[in-house]
Amino acid sequence: MIRYSLILFIGFLSFGIRAQSISGTIQDESKTSIPSVKIQNLTNKKYTRADLDGKFKIKAKLNDSVFFIAYGYDTTLIIVSAEDIIRTTIPVLLNTTIQEIAAANVISKRLADFDVGFLPPIKGVQIYTGTNAVIELSKLSGAKSSANPREIFAKIPGLNIWESDGSGVQLGIGGRGLSPNRAANFNTRQNGYDISADALGYPESYYTPPLEALKSIEIIRGSASLQFGTQFGGLLNFIIREAPTSTLFELTSRNTVGVYNYLGTFNRITGTNNRFFYQAYHQYKRGDGYRDNSKFNQQQIFGQVGYHLTDKIKIKLEYTHMDYLAKQAGGLTDTKFNQDPTQSLRDRNWFNVNWNILALHYDYEIGGSSNLNIRTFGMISQRQSLGFLGKITQADDNEAREMISGDFRNLGIEARYLKKYTLKNDGSKLKGAFLIGSRYYQGNSTAKQGLATESDDANFIFQNETDLEASNFSYPSENVALFAENILFLGRRWTINFGGRFEYIKSSSKGYYKNYVIFPNNGDTISSSKVDDNNTSKRRVPLFGAGTAYKIANKSTVYGNFTQNYRAINFTDIRINNPNITIDSLIKDEHGYTAEVGLRGLIKDFLIYDFAGFYIFYGDKIGLAPKPGTIKKERTNIGDAQNFGVELFTEIDFLKAFNNSTKHFLSLFLNVAYIDANYISSKETNYLDKKVEYVSSWILKSGIKYRFKGLSLQIQGSYNSEQFSDASNSIEPSGDAVIGLIPAYFVMDFSSRYAFKKHFQLEFGVTNLTNNKYFTRRATGYPGPGILPSDGIGAYFTLQYKFSAK
């Protein structure tokens, strides 16, 4: 009897070992069951779904990797432990995709329809408050290969866009009256780490991630932007799509052809195997450009590998490369532009970029209420410009060209710890979250300027590198920052946040520049002198911000914010020689603050809106103005400026308003901004009450979109009122076209897409549908000087193929 019992026990045990499984209930943060969650064991490839009560059961053995996937929630990984197998049931917690403590102002269900939504109070190790937006790119209409910024940012109010790069390689946007120059007024990041040239001395970005690779774009302009830096514009963060968790291998191939011999190809492979995930993509595009002498070719490479060390710890390594070579058509005078904007007066000007970024992420979920993120990043990059930079009224003398070379080597580490907490007082509960972080950054940039070859090819070699004719400087820098942010949820409707940032900045310049005495009649050099210049500056800058939000309805919130801002002098402001401008030797840092109030929300899932008013004080604003007593322009602290205005974005789905169950989608969006930016004090009385440069009083974008199943059609228009290019508000253009009025302009774009049920997708569009002739920028130097015409009518066709191995 004992023998038979033992045999029976061994049999049951062996069966149990073969048929091990885990079961449990899936809930969200409020302990509410989540139905129909997709559950996949990546080790044995078993698949199931939770029932309507969130209960599940799936075969699994020790150390198996099990994913829980649900729309609107973070994908969660569990590494099966012995305890999980022994327990009758295990609890599984899924955090909402945009994590929140209390009811957050999140539009997740309708993001796929509206392409844009609001960020929540808390997401991962970041707190978001104030004016913010997330652009979802999965179904965004527009020219994705060439990354047309009018279509990408069409639903973000108050953005002025420089449209002098039709290839979409370099992004130029500015918000609320700030300069669009290479997005330098934003803290520009990719997946949370820096991508600009030098965060302290040269915060311009020559690299923009491919739109075809992105999941979303985050824009943070409220008080919480102090978590990311001191910039007036806030945060601009490009989020690259994550590797899918449900497949070992996925291939996406997108190929685009367009006018002006445009060819673009984007290819991505990605997948997940147990705890390991990966992705890699390559983008290549080339074209002849809209104007003569404007051909280009560019490629981007991105690689990412990651591993779940445990179900709470994840590491991820990313490498980014971009190289870009373009022939620059140069600027035009107003007369030449009116004659033919496609013409070019320069045929020896070139521009070259080589960008390399390495980043490592470490994420640790500590318990259920704390998160730690550590990200390290480093850059080795270079930009070079080559050509004749004389006034556009001067003919190229075909002698030695001017070359400017910049090398950027920097590294940084940023750590963030976020703790969610609950305080009990007299039986009531006060919920909140506290974020603390630190950052160390070290940069070493060099800027060289001198004569290069007399040829017309892209030969980026100095004639006399050991004794350059213009300047040779290095700019070592060091930055230590501490920041903290706290958010309190007072009941279910009211939130208050406050935080601060302390910056220690050490920046230096080491090198020389040369002074020349020129004979005025013929321009010959009478004498020259070499000036050594070594300076070090240390700053300790405390900054503070606070905000509040009150939920006046289920999906509507009123909010207000205040934050201080600071921007250090760029080294290009003081040491790049330009024959068209001079530099004020007493130029200094900029400072100020931003205040805003607003109302945003969603009405019954068919109308989204965001209305805001803002005020920016911009102290010691740097700008360009005519230098008294000379024919040159001077870069100087023009004075204190104020920018105030109102912004409105709204989109309504007409069909959803009348029939909530309809599968058709027909929407109209309206994006309007009024901005009044002027100088309120200045050392030159001539600038008092003058308009700030590159600010359109009215910016309007509107469009209509129709979608049904795989078909999508959209047409949109963009309007900017006139703007000035210098602080003196010159209306009549100068002879060299560097200053003068920038007239109002209107542009229309059409886009369409059809997605088949499997594998294929077709896209077609026309940009600048009415072939309007306009420009958005007068360049003072490279890539001008003079007017830089925007592209005329263009068209593109894209074929996408996507394959996934289940």
Side-chain angles (χ1 to χ4, degrees):
M1 183 70 179
I2 295 176
R3 184 179 63 180
Y4 290 130
S5 298
L6 182 62
I7 293 173
L8 186 62
F9 172 77
I10 293 173
F12 275 118
L13 180 63
S14 61
F15 176 81
I17 293 174
R18 290 195 304 269
Q20 286 175 343
S21 63
I22 59 173
S23 60
T25 302
I26 307 169
Q27 297 178 328
D28 63 15
E29 303 97 328
S30 63
K31 305 302 181 182
T32 300
S33 298
I34 306 173
S36 304
V37 175
K38 179 180 178 181
I39 306 158
Q40 185 172 20
N41 187 325
L42 298 182
T43 305
N44 62 21
K45 307 303 181 184
K46 297 297 182 181
Y47 163 85
T48 188
R49 280 190 180 272
D51 64 18
L52 295 179
D53 296 320
K55 296 180 179 180
F56 72 94
K57 184 176 183 179
I58 188 170
K59 289 184 178 180
K61 63 180 184 299
L62 187 66
N63 290 326
D64 278 6
S65 300
V66 181
F67 268 110
F68 296 79
I69 307 163
Y71 179 76
Y73 295 87
D74 285 339
T75 297
T76 298
L77 169 69
I78 288 182
I79 308 298
V80 178
S81 65
E83 182 182 1
D84 292 331
I85 295 175
I86 295 172
R87 286 189 294 181
T88 304
T89 61
I90 63 173
V92 177
L93 172 66
L94 297 191
N95 292 316
T96 51
T97 298
I98 304 177
Q99 297 175 9
E100 58 196 46
I101 295 176
N105 224 2
V106 182
I107 313 297
S108 58
K109 177 183 175 182
R110 299 291 289 160
L111 276 179
D113 292 333
F114 289 132
D115 304 321
V116 67
F118 314 127
L119 288 163
I122 300 172
K123 180 183 177 185
V125 289
Q126 297 171 169
I127 294 175
Y128 297 113
T129 55
T131 302
N132 60 64
V134 54
I135 304 170
E136 293 289 339
L137 299 174
S138 60
K139 296 182 180 180
L140 184 73
S141 299
K144 290 188 176 181
S145 179
S146 59
N148 180 9
R150 290 192 306 270
E151 296 174 298
I152 299 171
F153 298 100
K155 298 179 181 180
I156 306 299
L159 294 186
N160 191 18
I161 302 173
W162 275 357
E163 300 178 23
S164 52
D165 175 18
S167 60
V169 175
Q170 296 180 36
L171 181 65
I173 61 172
R176 295 178 169 178
L178 303 176
S179 171
N181 187 33
R182 293 194 180 93
N185 279 290
F186 284 99
N187 185 311
T188 309
R189 301 189 177 198
Q190 172 182 281
N191 287 354
Y193 54 85
D194 293 40
I195 60 174
S196 58
D198 187 326
L200 298 175
Y202 193 49
E204 299 182 10
S205 182
Y206 292 90
Y207 157 72
T208 303
L211 188 63
E212 295 166 303
L214 298 181
K215 174 183 180 292
S216 60
I217 302 173
E218 297 175 345
I219 298 177
I220 315 299
R221 295 190 284 186
S223 58
S225 63
L226 283 180
Q227 297 168 76
F228 310 100
T230 65
Q231 283 82 352
F232 283 82
L235 172 72
L236 176 65
N237 190 22
F238 298 97
I239 307 297
I240 293 175
R241 280 183 293 169
E242 296 179 348
T245 58
S246 57
T247 180
L248 178 64
F249 178 81
E250 181 181 277
L251 166 68
T252 302
S253 180
R254 292 174 52 86
N255 297 279
T256 303
V257 294
V259 297
Y260 318 121
N261 290 323
Y262 179 85
L263 171 66
T265 180
F266 173 86
N267 297 279
R268 175 180 184 253
I269 57 171
T270 181
T272 297
N273 183 25
N274 295 328
R275 304 185 191 185
F276 173 77
F277 58 93
Y278 71 95
Q279 69 168 306
Y281 67 71
H282 175 262
Q283 183 197 53
Y284 173 79
K285 53 186 179 183
R286 64 162 177 81
D288 292 338
Y290 170 65
R291 301 176 60 200
D292 298 335
N293 299 318
S294 61
K295 63 181 180 181
F296 65 90
N297 65 75
Q298 179 248 10
Q299 70 168 340
Q300 297 200 40
I301 298 171
F302 177 82
Q304 178 192 83
V305 292
Y307 190 77
H308 293 270
L309 297 175
T310 71
D311 56 346
K312 304 293 185 181
I313 300 175
K314 178 176 67 175
I315 60 171
K316 184 168 58 177
L317 180 67
E318 297 176 354
Y319 170 69
T320 302
H321 168 79
M322 186 270 282
D323 59 78
Y324 171 52
L325 177 65
K327 196 169 187 179
Q328 298 285 344
L332 294 176
T333 64
D334 290 72
T335 300
K336 292 292 185 181
F337 171 79
N338 291 327
Q339 289 176 349
D340 180 8
T342 66
Q343 65 181 304
S344 168
L345 305 178
R346 299 286 183 261
D347 59 5
R348 301 195 303 147
N349 290 12
W350 294 87
F351 186 69
N352 183 56
V353 172
N354 190 302
W355 224 251
N356 298 277
I357 307 170
L358 189 67
L360 177 65
H361 303 258
Y362 174 86
D363 291 283
Y364 179 25
E365 182 182 341
I366 307 170
S369 61
S370 300
N371 293 83
L372 173 67
N373 170 262
I374 301 174
R375 60 190 69 152
T376 60
F377 53 92
M379 172 188 287
I380 300 177
S381 301
Q382 184 181 55
R383 54 84 69 201
Q384 296 170 310
S385 58
L386 173 67
F388 177 69
L389 296 184
K391 295 182 178 181
I392 202 62
T393 52
Q394 296 176 256
D396 187 346
D397 55 17
N398 291 314
E399 296 182 355
R401 294 173 290 178
E402 193 87 7
M403 178 170 156
I404 302 173
S405 178
D407 287 277
F408 314 105
R409 297 174 182 267
N410 57 59
L411 58 90
I413 180 169
E414 186 169 300
R416 295 167 170 268
Y417 174 76
L418 184 139
K419 171 68 175 179
K420 301 175 184 178
Y421 59 82
T422 301
L423 302 176
K424 295 183 179 180
N425 183 20
D426 297 330
S428 62
K429 293 182 179 181
L430 180 67
K431 294 184 178 182
F434 177 71
L435 168 71
I436 187 170
S438 63
R439 170 185 170 96
Y440 176 78
Y441 180 88
Q442 187 179 82
N444 190 7
S445 300
T446 62
K448 300 179 180 180
Q449 185 174 1
L451 295 180
T453 65
E454 299 178 358
S455 63
D456 59 1
D457 59 354
N459 188 357
F460 296 94
I461 300 176
F462 286 111
Q463 289 186 1
N464 306 295
E465 188 163 6
T466 58
D467 187 23
L468 296 174
E469 294 79 7
S471 62
N472 187 346
F473 276 90
S474 64
Y475 300 94
S477 62
E478 187 177 26
N479 173 225
V480 178
L482 301 174
F483 54 89
E485 188 83 17
N486 191 83
I487 185 168
L488 291 172
F489 292 81
L490 307 178
R492 299 181 60 85
R493 293 182 176 271
W494 190 15
T495 62
I496 297 176
N497 69 284
F498 45 88
R501 186 179 186 92
F502 177 80
E503 292 268 349
Y504 168 76
I505 301 172
K506 179 183 177 182
S507 55
S508 304
S509 65
K510 302 177 182 179
Y512 68 84
Y513 64 93
K514 290 187 177 180
N515 277 332
Y516 293 88
V517 179
I518 307 296
F519 190 73
N521 290 341
N522 57 16
D524 290 342
T525 300
I526 300 175
S527 65
S528 66
S529 59
K530 183 178 180 180
V531 181
D532 292 318
D533 184 58
N534 299 311
N535 292 298
T536 298
S537 176
K538 298 179 181 180
R539 300 92 141 181
R540 293 171 175 84
V541 184
L543 301 169
F544 301 95
T548 185
Y550 186 77
K551 198 171 185 181
I552 60 175
N554 186 38
K555 297 179 181 179
S556 297
T557 298
V558 61
Y559 60 90
N561 280 273
F562 172 87
T563 184
Q564 292 179 291
N565 304 111
Y566 174 84
R567 189 166 185 262
I569 300 170
N570 293 352
F571 65 71
T572 51
D573 288 333
I574 57 177
R575 282 294 169 255
I576 296 297
N577 291 339
N578 187 322
N580 306 300
I581 63 175
T582 61
I583 305 297
D584 182 357
S585 61
L586 301 177
I587 196 169
K588 54 187 177 181
D589 296 343
E590 302 167 310
H591 61 91
Y593 61 85
T594 301
E596 62 183 0
V597 294
L599 174 67
R600 63 173 174 239
L602 184 71
I603 298 177
K604 294 184 178 179
D605 290 347
F606 66 83
L607 188 146
I608 185 174
Y609 65 91
D610 192 358
F611 176 77
F614 65 87
Y615 178 88
I616 298 176
F617 173 77
Y618 208 132
D620 293 320
K621 187 179 187 305
I622 295 173
L624 189 68
K627 183 174 177 61
T630 72
I631 61 172
K632 291 191 174 184
K633 272 66 69 177
E634 182 182 43
R635 189 174 299 282
T636 182
N637 296 102
I638 293 176
D640 296 340
Q642 64 177 8
N643 302 0
F644 63 89
V646 292
E647 303 168 336
L648 169 65
F649 165 73
T650 185
E651 183 170 9
I652 181 172
D653 181 349
F654 295 105
L655 301 181
K656 194 79 172 180
F658 295 101
N659 183 1
N660 191 56
S661 62
T662 181
K663 296 181 180 180
H664 295 264
F665 175 86
L666 177 64
S667 74
L668 169 70
F669 79 85
L670 182 65
N671 174 352
V672 183
Y674 171 76
I675 305 172
D676 187 356
N678 54 78
Y679 290 100
I680 57 177
S681 69
S682 175
K683 59 186 178 183
E684 297 289 341
T685 57
N686 181 48
Y687 303 143
L688 285 176
D689 298 324
K690 293 295 179 66
K691 297 292 185 181
V692 173
E693 312 92 288
Y694 290 103
V695 180
S696 292
S697 296
W698 289 97
I699 301 175
L700 169 65
K701 294 179 174 65
S702 183
I704 298 176
K705 183 175 185 178
Y706 171 76
R707 189 176 68 249
F708 176 67
K709 294 185 178 179
L711 176 66
S712 175
L713 303 170
Q714 176 172 298
I715 187 166
Q716 75 168 53
S718 304
Y719 169 81
N720 276 53
S721 63
E722 65 184 24
Q723 49 192 306
F724 297 103
S725 61
D726 74 301
S728 67
N729 291 184
S730 301
I731 296 177
E732 292 299 322
S734 58
D736 57 6
V738 169
I739 63 175
L741 189 70
I742 299 175
Y745 59 89
F746 175 73
V747 190
M748 292 186 67
D749 300 297
F750 167 78
S751 61
S752 62
R753 180 182 66 247
Y754 185 80
F756 294 87
K757 290 184 178 180
K758 290 186 178 181
H759 304 309
F760 289 99
Q761 180 172 292
L762 303 177
E763 299 173 20
F764 171 75
V766 180
T767 55
N768 194 354
L769 188 62
T770 55
N771 197 25
N772 285 358
K773 182 171 64 174
Y774 69 104
F775 63 95
T776 63
R777 180 183 177 191
R778 293 179 183 267
T780 59
Y782 210 83
I787 290 173
L788 299 180
S790 299
D791 281 9
I793 189 171
Y796 63 89
F797 175 79
T798 299
L799 172 63
Q800 173 181 300
Y801 172 77
K802 187 173 183 178
F803 169 79
S804 181
K806 299 297 184 182

